[in-house]
Structures are given as C-alpha cells and as structure tokens.
Amino acid sequence: MTSTEVSTAQAREALIALKGEVGSAVVGNDAAVTGLILALLCRGHVLVEGVPGVGKTLLVRALSAALSLETKRIQFTPDLMPGDVTGSIVYDAHSGEFSFREGPVFTNLLLADEINRTPPKTQSALLEAMEERQVSLDGRSRPLPDPFIVIATQNPVEYEGTYSLPEAQLDRFLLKLTMPAPSREDEFGILVRHAQGFDPRDLGAAGIKPVAGPEHLAAARHAVGAVTVRPEVIGYIVDICRATRSTPSIRIGVSPRGATALLAATRAWAWLAGRDYATPDDVKALARPALRHRLDLRPEAELEGATADGVLDRVLASVPVPR
C-alpha cells in the first residue's frame, strides 16, 4: 500500500493504534508516547530525559516494534569516535579498493542512548546528520534514509563524566520530553505485568506488533501540512517566543527556529486530535516540550530555584490569549 492509497482517516487510525500499542508496553507515560508520534509527523528529533530505570530505552524499542521502520541503537560513551556513528572509509584487501562502510546513523529511528556521555567531536558528527540529514565523508555527501529521526536520552541527575550538549545541538531537537518516576498505581501495574511474564527484551512475545508503516506516516504528514493556523494563533506563538527573550531570569530566549518548531508540533497535535485547524490551547499544550530545552536560564535564577518549565508557565500566564 502506498501513501496515495492511504486516506487521512486511515493514517490517523493507524497512528492512534500506534500510540495504544506503545502505551501497552510503557505504562504511565502517555505524554512521552504522544511526543514521539508528534516528532514522527514533523520529521523532528526528540530528547528524552529521565533518571535510570523509568523506561526511556523501552519506550523507543516499543515504538520501533509497533512501527515498520528500521531501528538502530548507539550507546554513547566517552571513547566513541565520529566514525562509530557516521561510518568510515575502509580498505578492502580482496578488491584492493577503499569503500564506505555505513555507520548506525543510516537508519530510520536512531536511539542515541546517554548522548551527553560522548565528547563534543562525536556530538558534532551527529549534529550534521540531524540538521542536514546526510553524512559528509571523503568529499562526498551521503543522504540518510527518509524518515530519519534521532531519539536521544540523557540522565538529568548524574553529570560526572558527561559533556553538556551545546545550545546549537539542543536547538535541533523538536521536543524535549521528560519521563518522571511513575505514580504508585502505575508502578503497581508495571510490577503486575512483570509478574505475569512480561519481558521488555522480547516485545514480540509480549504481543507488541507493527500497526503502522511508512505509508501511514507519509499520508499523515501530508494531512498535517494542510492544518489551518489562523494569523491570531501564529501571532500567539510569536508573542510567547518573544516574551522569553525579555524575561529577566532568561539569558537566551527562544529563537525563530524554536517558534517554527512550536508551530509544527501544534499542527501535528491538532491533526492527531481529529481537527484540521489549530487553537491557542494546542499551542499551550506543546509550549513546554517544544521550548523548555531552548531556554538558557541566568545562573542567579537557577540558584534561586528557577526552572525552564516554571519560567514558561509564567510566560504563558503573561501573554494574552487570542479569542
């Protein structure tokens, strides 16, 4: 089945089924599951932050199991070299020639596990792939598959032996999703499922099956592009982003790239909700995940306990909502 044979209704139905399929493996993180689906619709990359053991890797593995796309994983370490990510030129002794051996970045869904544990040189190699969707080596540019999405994870509390992601790289992520520790009810449900034989390393045996494919994504992306955004809603996005640049506790506010990311995520959210138009409430719903990683707080504000989410809440409360 091609994208031209998939209707908008079928594409939406498949992606809603995708959300349910992933949610059956990852308990209590519906917001993170929805965020990954929005990123797929927008061709955007995602940064997932959470303490160890909350299911960040399981989330990506469940998404790949429920989606007919190729997935690869890189465990980022301090000794990881750029060629370990992008690939390298190798000598073939049989043919006597040099050839390019593709790295794990040549895939549809790339899980970059603990991305902040690798040095800046390797991070910059991934940055080109994220921004240009290609790898340049030996004077040649090699395009990456379509779709190509990086889902990176990082630990928010353990900074020893890590390298902070530069602002330029953070700005390339469409969304930053947080995965908190589950509630007691959700944690109880997780343990019950494990007691019943659930194995996170064998999702096929757990019943996770592909429910959507590239044709559904292509049709959905085409439909998202047709979602109407009134000038008043666009102005609301602009006013929110501009307000972050004049907030005293913020050193660097949201760039125009961040504004376009919020717009794209808003349209995808509206379409997934079954509408062909976006509302100010859609903007509010996506402001935190789309903008939190684009704010650089002043050191004195951080010492006083300010957080990016808290500052965004105050910005949203101060910007008039269009009617």
Side-chain angles (χ1 to χ4, degrees), residues 212-235:
E215 67 277 6
H216 299 103
L217 279 180
R221 287 169 174 169
H222 180 75
V224 167
V227 170
T228 301
V229 187
R230 293 183 295 117
E232 294 85 356
V233 178
I234 294 178

Tab-separated table of all heavy atoms in Angstrom, residues 212-235:
chain	number	residue	atom	x	y	z
A	212	ALA	N	1.535	0.304	12.150
A	212	ALA	CA	1.637	1.425	11.217
A	212	ALA	C	2.943	1.304	10.459
A	212	ALA	O	3.893	0.660	10.920
A	212	ALA	CB	1.576	2.764	11.960
A	213	GLY	N	2.988	1.923	9.293
A	213	GLY	CA	4.177	1.840	8.458
A	213	GLY	C	4.473	3.160	7.767
A	213	GLY	O	3.792	4.167	7.998
A	214	PRO	N	5.495	3.189	6.890
A	214	PRO	CA	5.882	4.425	6.206
A	214	PRO	C	4.746	5.051	5.409
A	214	PRO	O	4.666	6.282	5.305
A	214	PRO	CB	7.026	3.971	5.285
A	214	PRO	CG	7.546	2.713	5.898
A	214	PRO	CD	6.378	2.053	6.544
A	215	GLU	N	3.873	4.223	4.839
A	215	GLU	CA	2.767	4.775	4.046
A	215	GLU	C	1.796	5.569	4.911
A	215	GLU	O	1.247	6.593	4.481
A	215	GLU	CB	2.031	3.650	3.298
A	215	GLU	CG	1.260	2.663	4.173
A	215	GLU	CD	2.118	1.567	4.753
A	215	GLU	OE1	3.343	1.623	4.575
A	215	GLU	OE2	1.549	0.644	5.377
A	216	HIS	N	1.589	5.130	6.145
A	216	HIS	CA	0.718	5.879	7.054
A	216	HIS	C	1.384	7.193	7.473
A	216	HIS	O	0.710	8.228	7.565
A	216	HIS	CB	0.392	5.040	8.290
A	216	HIS	CG	-0.336	3.766	7.988
A	216	HIS	ND1	0.286	2.538	7.994
A	216	HIS	CD2	-1.631	3.528	7.646
A	216	HIS	CE1	-0.593	1.597	7.690
A	216	HIS	NE2	-1.761	2.165	7.476
A	217	LEU	N	2.691	7.142	7.716
A	217	LEU	CA	3.404	8.364	8.087
A	217	LEU	C	3.370	9.383	6.952
A	217	LEU	O	3.150	10.576	7.182
A	217	LEU	CB	4.855	8.044	8.437
A	217	LEU	CG	5.144	7.513	9.843
A	217	LEU	CD1	6.634	7.263	10.000
A	217	LEU	CD2	4.655	8.484	10.890
A	218	ALA	N	3.579	8.919	5.721
A	218	ALA	CA	3.587	9.830	4.577
A	218	ALA	C	2.227	10.498	4.409
A	218	ALA	O	2.129	11.714	4.180
A	218	ALA	CB	3.974	9.064	3.310
A	219	ALA	N	1.152	9.721	4.506
A	219	ALA	CA	-0.188	10.284	4.383
A	219	ALA	C	-0.486	11.247	5.527
A	219	ALA	O	-1.096	12.302	5.332
A	219	ALA	CB	-1.222	9.156	4.351
A	220	ALA	N	-0.049	10.882	6.734
A	220	ALA	CA	-0.295	11.736	7.893
A	220	ALA	C	0.461	13.057	7.770
A	220	ALA	O	-0.084	14.128	8.069
A	220	ALA	CB	0.109	11.009	9.167
A	221	ARG	N	1.706	13.004	7.316
A	221	ARG	CA	2.483	14.231	7.163
A	221	ARG	C	1.861	15.159	6.131
A	221	ARG	O	1.845	16.386	6.306
A	221	ARG	CB	3.916	13.885	6.761
A	221	ARG	CG	4.740	13.287	7.895
A	221	ARG	CD	6.037	12.731	7.386
A	221	ARG	NE	6.894	12.286	8.476
A	221	ARG	CZ	7.985	11.574	8.312
A	221	ARG	NH1	8.355	11.219	7.100
A	221	ARG	NH2	8.713	11.206	9.350
A	222	HIS	N	1.342	14.575	5.067
A	222	HIS	CA	0.667	15.386	4.049
A	222	HIS	C	-0.561	16.068	4.647
A	222	HIS	O	-0.815	17.246	4.390
A	222	HIS	CB	0.266	14.502	2.859
A	222	HIS	CG	-0.432	15.249	1.769
A	222	HIS	ND1	0.239	16.078	0.893
A	222	HIS	CD2	-1.754	15.302	1.419
A	222	HIS	CE1	-0.634	16.611	0.039
A	222	HIS	NE2	-1.842	16.153	0.343
A	223	ALA	N	-1.310	15.343	5.469
A	223	ALA	CA	-2.511	15.902	6.092
A	223	ALA	C	-2.153	16.979	7.110
A	223	ALA	O	-2.847	17.999	7.216
A	223	ALA	CB	-3.329	14.789	6.746
A	224	VAL	N	-1.076	16.775	7.862
A	224	VAL	CA	-0.652	17.769	8.851
A	224	VAL	C	-0.305	19.087	8.163
A	224	VAL	O	-0.586	20.174	8.681
A	224	VAL	CB	0.543	17.248	9.669
A	224	VAL	CG1	1.192	18.376	10.473
A	224	VAL	CG2	0.105	16.128	10.593
A	225	GLY	N	0.291	18.992	6.971
A	225	GLY	CA	0.642	20.201	6.227
A	225	GLY	C	-0.554	21.020	5.803
A	225	GLY	O	-0.411	22.198	5.461
A	226	ALA	N	-1.744	20.410	5.827
A	226	ALA	CA	-2.962	21.118	5.430
A	226	ALA	C	-3.732	21.680	6.623
A	226	ALA	O	-4.787	22.284	6.447
A	226	ALA	CB	-3.870	20.177	4.627
A	227	VAL	N	-3.214	21.480	7.846
A	227	VAL	CA	-3.889	22.009	9.035
A	227	VAL	C	-3.813	23.542	9.019
A	227	VAL	O	-2.741	24.120	8.842
A	227	VAL	CB	-3.245	21.455	10.324
A	227	VAL	CG1	-3.787	22.179	11.557
A	227	VAL	CG2	-3.515	19.963	10.435
A	228	THR	N	-4.946	24.184	9.204
A	228	THR	CA	-5.031	25.646	9.161
A	228	THR	C	-4.605	26.258	10.490
A	228	THR	O	-5.031	25.804	11.557
A	228	THR	CB	-6.470	26.088	8.839
A	228	THR	OG1	-6.869	25.532	7.585
A	228	THR	CG2	-6.571	27.601	8.784
A	229	VAL	N	-3.777	27.286	10.411
A	229	VAL	CA	-3.376	28.038	11.596
A	229	VAL	C	-3.712	29.505	11.343
A	229	VAL	O	-3.112	30.149	10.478
A	229	VAL	CB	-1.870	27.883	11.896
A	229	VAL	CG1	-1.529	28.544	13.227
A	229	VAL	CG2	-1.470	26.415	11.926
A	230	ARG	N	-4.685	30.022	12.072
A	230	ARG	CA	-5.123	31.397	11.882
A	230	ARG	C	-4.001	32.380	12.243
A	230	ARG	O	-3.148	32.082	13.082
A	230	ARG	CB	-6.352	31.695	12.745
A	230	ARG	CG	-7.604	30.946	12.336
A	230	ARG	CD	-8.792	31.343	13.197
A	230	ARG	NE	-8.617	30.958	14.591
A	230	ARG	CZ	-8.553	31.805	15.603
A	230	ARG	NH1	-8.608	33.118	15.372
A	230	ARG	NH2	-8.420	31.384	16.845
A	231	PRO	N	-3.987	33.568	11.617
A	231	PRO	CA	-2.966	34.570	11.946
A	231	PRO	C	-2.920	34.902	13.437
A	231	PRO	O	-1.845	35.173	13.975
A	231	PRO	CB	-3.397	35.790	11.118
A	231	PRO	CG	-4.155	35.208	9.965
A	231	PRO	CD	-4.853	33.995	10.511
A	232	GLU	N	-4.090	34.860	14.115
A	232	GLU	CA	-4.106	35.150	15.548
A	232	GLU	C	-3.322	34.101	16.340
A	232	GLU	O	-2.628	34.432	17.319
A	232	GLU	CB	-5.553	35.199	16.056
A	232	GLU	CG	-6.384	36.342	15.494
A	232	GLU	CD	-6.994	35.999	14.142
A	232	GLU	OE1	-6.692	34.900	13.616
A	232	GLU	OE2	-7.764	36.820	13.609
A	233	VAL	N	-3.420	32.834	15.916
A	233	VAL	CA	-2.693	31.768	16.600
A	233	VAL	C	-1.198	31.883	16.302
A	233	VAL	O	-0.357	31.678	17.193
A	233	VAL	CB	-3.241	30.387	16.194
A	233	VAL	CG1	-2.453	29.270	16.861
A	233	VAL	CG2	-4.720	30.269	16.572
A	234	ILE	N	-0.857	32.202	15.060
A	234	ILE	CA	0.554	32.416	14.724
A	234	ILE	C	1.121	33.567	15.543
A	234	ILE	O	2.239	33.494	16.082
A	234	ILE	CB	0.715	32.681	13.213
A	234	ILE	CG1	0.347	31.437	12.404
A	234	ILE	CG2	2.145	33.124	12.898
A	234	ILE	CD1	0.426	31.620	10.902
A	235	GLY	N	0.348	34.640	15.669
A	235	GLY	CA	0.779	35.771	16.487
A	235	GLY	C	0.968	35.391	17.937
A	235	GLY	O	1.879	35.896	18.615
